[in-house]
Amino acid sequence: MGKYRPIIGLEIHVQLSTKTKLFCSCSADVFDSEPNTHICPVCTGQPGALPVTSEEAIEYAVKAAYALNFEVHEYSRFDRKNYFYPDLPKGYQITQYFYPIATKGYLEIDVDGKKKKVRLRRLHIEEDAGKMIHEGDSMSAKSFVDFNRAGVPLIEIVTEPDIKSPKEARLFLEKLRSIVRYIGVSSGDMEKGALRCDANISVIDEETGKSSNRVEVKNMNSFKFVQRALEYEFERISQAMKNGEEIPQETRGWVTKDKKTISMRSKEEESDYRYFPEPDLPPVILSEEKLKKIRQSLPELPDEKKERFVKDYKLPEYDASVLTADKDLADFYEETVKLTAKPKETSNWFMTELLRMMNEEGIEVKDLKVKPEHFKELFDMMDAGKITKNIAKDVFKEVFKTGKSPSEIVKEKGLEVVADESEIERILKEAIEKNPKAVEQYKNGKKGIMGFFIGQVMRATSGKADPKVVQKIFRKLMGE
Ligand code: ADP
Ligand code: ZN
Ligand code: MG
């Protein structure tokens, strides 16, 4: 029996949201477009067509590199990676193999409250390939190719094998997505293929020091599936090691519907691609000045924002990290606090009510009907004792759904607190009369019974009585 531990390294492709493709002026915004409507002689590899490098793509890549703590190089270059596939019209992909634009970065993630650095080996720029579309089955099957995506700019980020669990892999990707969104270089949507991840995993037996071969897993289109696929592989490989079986070094694909991975091919060697420098493109030369300018243009990043939230708003680390994971959410929070002047209470409402409803409804911050003013109004009504906290939660649900103001909803639905103490006293007296046993228990020291009476009043008033007032009156009636 051994003690098995996974070793994981990721290769991530991030689609850059530039206006044009990497080497031609076709629009790079191709998702969901009619097939072959964003193409030209360059991106379909027509004879004689020459590529011209997009400056915007270079800038986006540099931005990402700095945000990920990379060393950015003043000199980098493009190379050809040669292979045949129908979605690759030139017969080679233009990429940066020998001289990547950036090397030696790192990304810090939070693992169970502890900070952990994942070293990044390299970041380089390359073009995307087209997409195959397969229709029908067996005899009538047809395959089509859509070149819209061919030539769309990507950055590839390669980590060192520093990731120690499938969960860490997911945390890493979530943080990476948060950063590329913050700096506006990519939508980071895994479901739309704007962020793609190949995961390498091997397993080490810590007792014997023996390692398995490395397996590369592809085809996961969500963070959850990356984690699941890696959990599956860890289990599969450790099991094989226990049985004394050798697992081959290979590429496997995640099959979502079967919740498992299947073998795709034995891994190709880098030398199979016959890389050589791209003769049609000049090297990428970036002046120190230019690099400095790009570096200075970076906005506040998630980690800095989180620290500022802890310091300025006195929030717990956890609240701050949730609120700053998404820039839009962080901005929305700050606008709201400007009005409410109650950072912690606002955070509580965000963390529980707002985020829960957003998750349930699949709504993003930009689509919210709730406005900062609504929180202010809701808080004011609670402070003034006009509504209870429970009612406020119901009101908030309605604000979330309709975008109507809290005061409007309270008025419409008659939700104002029953402030009339004589009314509460009347209801309590009735309940006391009807429940002599409960009263006796209370008098014999079972003070928890008070909750029962408060509940009676809440039911009679549809939750609109202030529990503190009810308690006060109840004690009075009990002669305390
Ligand atoms: P290759 O040359 O086969 O592509 P690389 O050394 O370039 O291998 O690494 C590719 C990816 O595999 C990197 O993300 C790296 O972190 C990861 N990797 C390297 N060694 C291991 C290992 N022993 N177990 C898991 N992942 C690894
Ligand atoms: Zn084109
Ligand atoms: Mg490699």
Side-chain angles (χ1 to χ4, degrees):
M1 274 305 279
K3 189 159 171 280
Y4 301 106
R5 181 170 75 69
I7 299 173
I8 297 166
L10 305 176
E11 294 167 285
I12 301 119
H13 287 92
V14 179
Q15 205 174 71
L16 300 179
S17 48
T18 49
K19 285 190 270 311
T20 69
K21 291 189 181 179
L22 186 49
F23 302 116
C24 61
S25 55
C26 292
S27 160
D29 185 11
V30 301
F31 189 78
D32 265 352
S33 300
E34 277 294 301
N36 297 311
T37 51
H38 293 67
I39 55 173
C40 76
V42 174
C43 53
T44 54
Q46 306 299 305
L50 286 172
V52 178
T53 309
S54 151
E55 288 224 8
E56 198 184 21
I58 303 288
E59 273 170 32
Y60 277 31
V62 173
K63 252 190 175 176
Y66 278 132
L68 297 168
N69 309 295
F70 273 102
E71 281 173 26
V72 181
H73 304 303
E74 290 179 32
Y75 176 95
S76 66
R77 209 183 64 188
F78 288 103
D79 305 296
R80 290 188 181 179
K81 176 179 182 176
N82 299 283
Y83 65 99
F84 171 80
Y85 201 68
D87 67 8
L88 190 74
K90 297 193 295 290
Y92 57 84
Q93 177 195 28
I94 304 180
T95 180
Q96 295 189 309
Y97 183 67
F98 297 106
Y99 292 89
I101 193 159
T103 50
K104 290 199 204 120
Y106 67 86
L107 178 61
E108 213 166 56
I109 53 173
D110 245 38
V111 185
D112 301 325
K114 278 204 211 90
K115 286 195 187 0
K116 164 178 181 141
K117 254 185 199 178
V118 175
R119 289 168 304 153
L120 306 174
R121 186 181 296 172
R122 57 187 277 147
L123 178 152
H124 69 251
I125 306 170
E126 62 187 30
E127 58 177 346
D128 208 344
K131 207 167 73 182
M132 300 286 292
I133 302 161
H134 306 286
E135 270 176 22
D137 43 47
S138 63
M139 297 304 286
S140 61
K142 288 195 179 83
S143 289
F144 302 87
V145 58
D146 172 11
F147 287 121
N148 279 345
R149 227 176 50 181
V152 166
L154 305 175
I155 48 176
E156 177 174 343
I157 298 159
V158 182
T159 77
E160 295 292 345
D162 287 350
I163 297 167
K164 300 257 173 3
S165 73
K167 183 178 144 199
E168 279 186 26
R170 199 196 71 220
L171 292 172
F172 175 90
L173 290 169
E174 282 172 355
K175 184 74 175 278
L176 179 67
R177 178 180 62 179
S178 167
I179 289 175
V180 296
R181 285 183 174 171
Y182 258 68
I183 59 178
V185 303
S186 174
S187 74
D189 282 328
M190 226 178 156
E191 289 77 4
K192 293 183 181 172
L195 196 152
R196 309 196 277 270
C197 169
D198 300 338
N200 297 272
I201 175 168
S202 61
V203 176
I204 183 163
D205 178 344
E206 285 190 317
E207 276 171 18
T208 61
K210 196 177 172 314
S211 294
S212 74
N213 273 323
R214 169 166 30 123
V215 169
E216 183 173 350
V217 196
K218 292 179 179 288
N219 295 345
M220 297 85 71
N221 65 350
S222 76
F223 295 139
K224 200 174 67 192
F225 293 149
V226 172
Q227 183 173 351
R228 290 243 182 103
L230 285 169
E231 282 162 357
Y232 178 88
E233 274 307 295
F234 175 50
E235 192 52 39
R236 187 183 71 86
I237 300 170
S238 339
Q239 202 57 48
M241 288 172 88
K242 261 182 220 164
N243 299 339
E245 293 160 17
E246 183 92 356
I247 59 119
Q249 170 160 359
E250 62 176 354
T251 301
R252 298 175 70 86
W254 169 250
V255 185
T256 301
K257 72 171 172 25
D258 300 333
K259 299 191 175 70
K260 63 175 200 178
T261 66
I262 54 167
S263 178
M264 289 167 76
R265 56 175 184 264
S266 63
K267 195 170 159 45
E268 59 287 299
E269 296 290 327
E270 294 292 68
S271 58
D272 296 342
Y273 293 119
R274 301 175 61 87
Y275 287 94
F276 66 85
E278 166 60 62
D280 290 340
L281 287 166
V284 179
I285 310 281
L286 295 160
S287 66
E288 211 175 306
E289 217 175 320
K290 170 118 191 181
L291 289 179
K292 200 168 145 200
K293 219 174 116 201
I294 300 176
R295 182 169 213 160
Q296 284 170 346
S297 76
L298 284 184
E300 185 182 42
L301 296 172
D303 284 347
E304 303 166 65
K305 206 185 273 293
K306 177 181 155 189
E307 265 171 49
R308 182 167 62 78
F309 274 31
V310 169
K311 199 166 123 263
D312 290 2
Y313 300 126
K314 311 275 180 289
L315 294 180
E317 290 258 331
Y318 179 72
D319 290 35
S321 63
V322 172
L323 293 172
T324 56
D326 175 36
K327 182 166 178 295
D328 289 344
L329 182 68
D331 290 346
F332 185 54
Y333 170 79
E334 292 205 275
E335 273 171 51
T336 305
V337 170
K338 253 187 229 152
L339 295 179
T340 64
K342 288 182 173 164
K344 180 58 180 140
E345 196 175 344
T346 304
S347 166
N348 290 346
W349 276 78
F350 269 55
M351 307 269 294
T352 54
E353 305 307 311
L354 180 66
L355 285 176
R356 179 172 50 75
M357 287 181 220
M358 284 170 67
N359 278 337
E360 281 167 7
E361 307 286 324
I363 287 178
E364 288 176 38
V365 174
K366 65 175 170 32
D367 306 318
L368 279 178
K369 291 181 181 152
V370 182
K371 302 280 171 259
E373 306 84 83
H374 293 151
F375 283 97
K376 162 83 172 143
E377 214 182 298
L378 204 62
F379 288 9
D380 283 351
M381 282 196 283
M382 278 190 282
D383 287 349
K386 277 199 189 135
I387 53 173
T388 64
K389 190 165 178 191
N390 277 332
I391 294 283
K393 285 184 182 172
D394 289 340
V395 173
F396 185 72
K397 269 188 208 134
E398 206 55 29
V399 179
F400 184 88
K401 253 194 275 175
T402 63
K404 283 187 192 165
S405 79
S407 57
E408 223 180 320
I409 292 162
V410 167
K411 207 181 284 163
E412 254 178 37
K413 306 209 158 187
L415 294 173
E416 268 189 53
V417 156
V418 177
D420 185 351
E421 299 200 5
S422 63
E423 173 67 5
I424 293 172
E425 189 164 328
R426 188 189 63 72
I427 299 167
L428 270 177
K429 274 183 176 158
E430 205 180 296
I432 287 169
E433 222 163 86
K434 277 193 192 149
N435 298 281
K437 270 205 192 115
V439 172
E440 204 173 302
Q441 283 175 317
Y442 181 84
K443 291 198 165 153
N444 288 337
K446 216 174 154 197
K447 297 293 174 193
I449 287 286
M450 181 166 23
F452 165 77
F453 287 100
I454 295 174
Q456 296 295 308
V457 178
M458 287 302 173
R459 187 175 311 158
T461 60
S462 317
K464 291 180 293 182
D466 183 341
K468 284 207 193 72
V469 176
V470 182
Q471 277 181 26
K472 190 188 76 185
I473 297 174
F474 181 75
R475 288 210 179 92
K476 189 188 79 185
L477 291 175
M478 290 293 111
E480 289 176 13

